[in-house]
Amino acid sequence: MELHTERRLVRYAVIVSIICGVSWMTIWELSSLMDSQNDVNLGTQIAVSGFGEITLFDPHKVGLFSANVYQDSQLGFQISKPNDIWEIHSVLDDLSSDVLVSLKTKGFLDGVYVEQNHDRRFMVTVFDIQQENFSLHDYIDNQIALMESKNAIIPFEQVSPQNDWALFAVEISDITNQYGEQMLFLKDNRLYMLQYSGTSPQSLSSDQKDDFKQIMDSFEVI
């Protein structure tokens, strides 16, 4: 595998619990009394990432003309592009056969990049969980411990009591100023990860932040 491919894998650390941890930022769960009542009825929940308010468990129907919506019915997820400038490509295009074989032994199924002008800030990966009674909370704790051992800042993180989703962030305040955010869903023994890696939301333009928020908000397990 070429050196630039190895660096890309490290940067996007989507292989998270399997290869290494990633960088993230703060999150809250917000909901008014009325919204909470609606969430009970619809099964939706609201969380807030560094990019803004995110709606969970509310996939939009995909029609014949939904050109900007990518849906993988076999893996069971969907995600949207903000506009036609964005593209969605398989991560398999960047993996050598040796790396792919190694990843598959750890449960890797497939994944996609959501990119703009070859700037791969977002990546979705799906893993088959190969252990009984998998605890998403323990998994997140292990990732945070790993990042803290590398002097990363973990402002806070959130894992659902139902062990079905998590959203957290990490920031590395060195000369690289790395920032990352990851949203995870656990369903039917599969772990779905959406990872952002790049500039902190505070450093983005309003248009960039809106685009990135839309990507985060569109990621759903179906």
Side-chain angles (χ1 to χ4, degrees), residues 10-11 13 16 19-24 140-154 168-172 178-180 182:
V10 171
R11 179 190 173 194
V16 184
I19 291 184
C20 70
V22 290
S23 305
W24 331 91
I140 299 300
D141 285 347
N142 288 337
Q143 297 312 305
I144 288 177
L146 177 61
M147 295 308 297
E148 287 180 331
S149 71
K150 299 180 180 180
N151 299 319
I153 298 171
I154 316 293
F168 67 104
V170 167
E171 194 165 15
I172 301 178
Q178 296 179 28
Y179 173 88
Q182 192 172 55

Side-chain angles (χ1 to χ4, degrees), residues 2 4 23 27-28 36 40 50 52 55 70 73 86 90 109 127 129 131-133 145 154-155 158 177 179 184 212 222:
E2 296 180 357
H4 75 276
S23 305
I27 40 149
W28 299 267
S36 296
V40 171
T55 304
Y70 174 85
S73 57
W86 289 81
S90 172
L109 297 176
F127 288 89
I129 301 302
Q131 68 182 76
E132 294 183 3
N133 301 319
I154 316 293
Q158 185 171 356
N177 290 321
Y179 173 88
L184 306 97
F212 295 176
I222 55 177

Side-chain angles (χ1 to χ4, degrees), residues 75 106-109 126-135 163-164 185-192 221:
L75 288 177
K106 305 183 191 319
F108 175 73
L109 297 176
V126 184
F127 288 89
D128 180 22
I129 301 302
Q130 301 176 343
Q131 68 182 76
E132 294 183 3
N133 301 319
F134 176 81
S135 170
N163 193 50
D164 58 351
F185 292 96
L186 181 63
K187 181 181 179 182
D188 297 335
N189 250 25
R190 286 181 175 179
L191 184 61
Y192 298 81
V221 175

Side-chain angles (χ1 to χ4, degrees), residues 100-169:
L100 182 58
V101 168
S102 176
L103 290 177
K104 284 190 173 181
T105 65
K106 305 183 191 319
F108 175 73
L109 297 176
D110 206 345
V112 297
Y113 293 113
V114 184
E115 60 183 273
Q116 182 184 35
N117 298 323
H118 305 292
D119 185 7
R120 294 172 171 174
R121 300 199 184 198
F122 288 91
M123 182 165 59
V124 177
T125 50
V126 184
F127 288 89
D128 180 22
I129 301 302
Q130 301 176 343
Q131 68 182 76
E132 294 183 3
N133 301 319
F134 176 81
S135 170
L136 189 56
H137 203 292
D138 289 346
Y139 169 78
I140 299 300
D141 285 347
N142 288 337
Q143 297 312 305
I144 288 177
L146 177 61
M147 295 308 297
E148 287 180 331
S149 71
K150 299 180 180 180
N151 299 319
I153 298 171
I154 316 293
F156 52 90
E157 47 85 19
Q158 185 171 356
V159 183
S160 70
Q162 294 79 19
N163 193 50
D164 58 351
W165 69 271
L167 177 63
F168 67 104

